[in-house]
Amino acid sequence: MARLFRWFGDFRRKKNRGQNGSSCPQPSSRATGPCKSRSSPQTTVAAAASSSRRFDCKSRWSKQYDVCICHAEDDVIYVQDLVAYLELRPHSLRCFLQLRDLVPGGAICTELCQAVRQSHCWVLVISPAFIKDPWCGYQMQQALSESPKANGRVIPVRMQLERKDYPLELRFMFGIDVGKEKENGFQRIKRAILYNLEELCRKNAEEQQHTDTESRTATAGNTADSSGPC
């Protein structure tokens, strides 16, 4: 537990440095450095706003988290880097982390179950430590019960684990084998999460359009009835 608290402190400091730092220094008025922008600030802002609108819908904000990260204590360093990547702008995904988001004094099983229910999708960091951790197994079962069909909302991430040791419940799902390509694994995980959110918002838009059509039809019918002969 002490190691988890040390990790959390390092995670917060690292996140703050990432938000305040910049990979490209500000150019002086006398000289131009090698770091040049390929697009204007207006273009960059417009592109970011357009991308964010694809994932902005009522259904998304109906839950507290976009993704719940289920992991073992031994994998906390990997999860630290993953969450820092997922929470970057412009998407700023809302991630659930046990150490950061669990309510102090709450029952562990209740808190974990609530986190699963309040998330749109779930990343399961499957490692040898995950297999041995009963709380990881509990979260996995809760996630599978929330999404009984293989619709992509449960995202298995295999890390340092042979295929034969994979949980039986997940062998029918496609997963992400991060292997040694850490950054590429992060990108694939983020794409999977964004795909689920985009599908969620697309279905929400279709339902809203259907509701609006029915409402207009009903209004037109009522108008026609009221204007008919007595």
Side-chain angles (χ1 to χ4, degrees), residues 23-95:
S23 60
C24 178
Q26 294 294 330
S28 65
S29 58
R30 296 182 180 180
T32 57
C35 185
K36 298 181 180 179
S37 176
R38 297 184 179 180
S39 59
S40 65
Q42 293 82 359
T43 303
T44 303
V45 172
S50 176
S51 176
S52 299
R53 282 195 294 269
R54 292 162 50 199
F55 311 102
D56 186 7
C57 64
K58 183 178 180 180
S59 295
R60 179 186 177 185
W61 307 118
S62 65
K63 293 192 176 184
Q64 188 173 359
Y65 304 104
D66 296 317
V67 56
C68 177
I69 311 293
C70 308
H71 66 93
E73 181 179 345
D74 290 353
D75 304 319
V76 70
I77 300 301
Y78 174 84
V79 173
Q80 167 191 355
D81 295 336
L82 171 62
V83 170
Y85 178 83
L86 295 177
E87 293 183 341
L88 288 174
R89 296 180 179 179
H91 299 111
S92 302
L93 296 175
R94 300 168 300 156
C95 303

Side-chain angles (χ1 to χ4, degrees), residues 97-108:
L97 279 176
Q98 296 180 24
L99 181 62
R100 181 183 67 184
D101 300 317
L102 285 179
V103 177
I108 296 178

Side-chain angles (χ1 to χ4, degrees), residues 164-182:
K164 62 181 179 63
D165 298 325
Y166 218 48
L168 294 176
E169 298 91 336
L170 303 178
R171 291 188 182 182
F172 67 95
M173 297 181 181
F174 284 110
I176 298 174
D177 188 354
V178 293
K180 297 181 180 180
E181 299 181 3
K182 191 174 185 179

